[in-house]
Amino acid sequence: MRRQDIRETVYRYIAEQMNCSMQDLHTGETVFIEDATKPEKYIKILSVGDTDIITLSSDMFSDGKRHLDGKSRDELYESHYVFGQTLYYVPDMNQMERLPFIEGYTYELVVADEIRKLYGIKGFDNSLSFDENGNTSTCIVLYAKKDKDIIALAGASYVNSELREVGIDVKKEFRGKKLASLLVRNLTVEILKQGKIPFYSASVTNIASQAVAIRSGYMPLWTDTFGVRDISFCK
């Protein structure tokens, strides 16, 4: 898969999320989008390349644009409209070769309906979660076991027909052994073999997760804020 294919697919996805056009994402400027479908007091900022997209609900559009128009990117993300920020990574195709498995553990790749056998597993909320009926959006899992216990698990959830979001959890006592980057890398290779595009996200405050992304062969592509729906207490 080509780097350009990954970027174009991701750009279509984030354009849909921000209710903007593909052209908007390439302006190199700050673009304000009024989205009447969003709930009241909604604002979300997304940055990709040199472009900043700010999507606001109709009731927030005039006020948000008045306060943020002409601001630098740093000023946008330091504004009182921001209550959390996420970094998003995509695979660096120059690095996407399978890594050798670390000795001392056993590994298993689980896909589709087979994942149901993991229902009830605890401690892997970033990579695998089920609803009360045992359903999950996770569609592929690669885990490591020590003896009979799963101690590290990478999973990818369904985003749309083209995209999968990768998450990783490692039990505390097994961290620092390179299991996270190993599982994320090899799971990513499997997803790419299926013709799907994985991406990885990490909070700006989670340095360990960001390090896993880089060690796994991912590179940052875009960042966004939480979609704020009530900022009245900031005024």
Side-chain angles (χ1 to χ4, degrees):
M1 187 174 295
R2 300 180 307 162
R3 179 179 179 181
Q4 185 62 27
D5 295 331
I6 293 175
R7 284 180 174 266
E8 288 181 1
T9 301
V10 168
Y11 272 52
R12 286 196 299 271
Y13 168 68
I14 61 180
E16 181 179 352
Q17 297 298 303
M18 300 300 288
N19 197 29
C20 67
S21 69
M22 291 282 282
Q23 290 76 17
D24 287 333
L25 296 174
H26 294 280
T27 62
E29 301 175 351
T30 299
V31 179
F32 290 86
I33 303 293
E34 181 178 0
D35 189 346
T37 68
K38 290 293 189 286
E40 291 185 353
K41 299 192 181 302
Y42 179 95
I43 177 170
K44 188 178 186 71
I45 303 170
L46 181 146
S47 299
V48 59
D50 296 327
T51 302
D52 299 307
I53 304 292
I54 304 175
T55 297
L56 308 105
S57 54
S58 294
D59 63 303
M60 283 293 300
F61 185 76
S62 295
D63 182 69
K65 186 172 183 180
R66 182 173 67 253
H67 284 93
L68 298 177
D69 196 17
K71 301 294 186 182
S72 68
R73 179 171 291 178
D74 284 343
E75 289 172 326
L76 293 178
Y77 283 93
E78 291 168 0
S79 72
H80 67 263
Y81 294 104
V82 176
F83 292 88
Q85 185 178 343
T86 304
L87 301 172
Y88 295 87
Y89 301 78
V90 295
D92 178 356
M93 295 306 293
N94 293 326
Q95 300 186 57
M96 283 303 123
E97 295 182 359
R98 190 187 307 275
L99 296 175
F101 286 113
I102 301 170
E103 294 184 0
Y105 308 96
T106 57
Y107 304 87
E108 185 173 356
L109 181 71
V110 185
V111 299
D113 290 341
E114 296 176 350
I115 295 173
R116 285 180 176 271
K117 73 179 184 180
L118 299 174
Y119 180 61
I121 192 172
K122 304 294 183 182
F124 299 94
D125 293 339
N126 291 321
S127 51
L128 176 63
S129 61
F130 295 88
D131 64 19
E132 63 276 9
N133 298 315
N135 300 313
T136 179
S137 62
T138 303
C139 51
I140 183 169
V141 164
L142 177 62
Y143 63 76
K145 295 177 71 173
K146 181 67 174 178
D147 300 322
K148 295 183 179 180
D149 295 325
I150 295 176
I151 50 90
L153 186 150
S157 59
Y158 181 95
V159 177
N160 59 32
S161 61
E162 298 175 296
L163 293 170
R164 305 290 183 263
E165 183 170 9
V166 175
I168 179 68
D169 291 287
V170 180
K171 289 189 175 179
K172 188 174 182 179
E173 59 269 34
F174 292 94
R175 293 173 187 169
K177 302 180 184 297
K178 300 183 178 180
L179 283 168
S181 54
L182 166 67
L183 293 178
V184 170
R185 167 74 71 83
N186 288 357
L187 181 65
T188 298
V189 171
E190 289 293 334
I191 295 168
L192 290 167
K193 283 172 56 180
Q194 295 179 353
K196 308 303 180 183
I197 297 173
F199 66 88
Y200 182 102
S201 61
S203 167
V204 294
T205 62
N206 193 337
I207 304 302
S209 184
Q210 295 170 41
V212 168
I214 298 300
R215 289 197 299 265
S216 303
Y218 278 75
M219 56 186 180
L221 180 57
W222 83 100
T223 184
D224 67 17
T225 66
F226 298 164
V228 180
R229 291 192 175 129
D230 186 2
I231 61 168
S232 58
F233 62 90
C234 293
K235 294 184 177 180

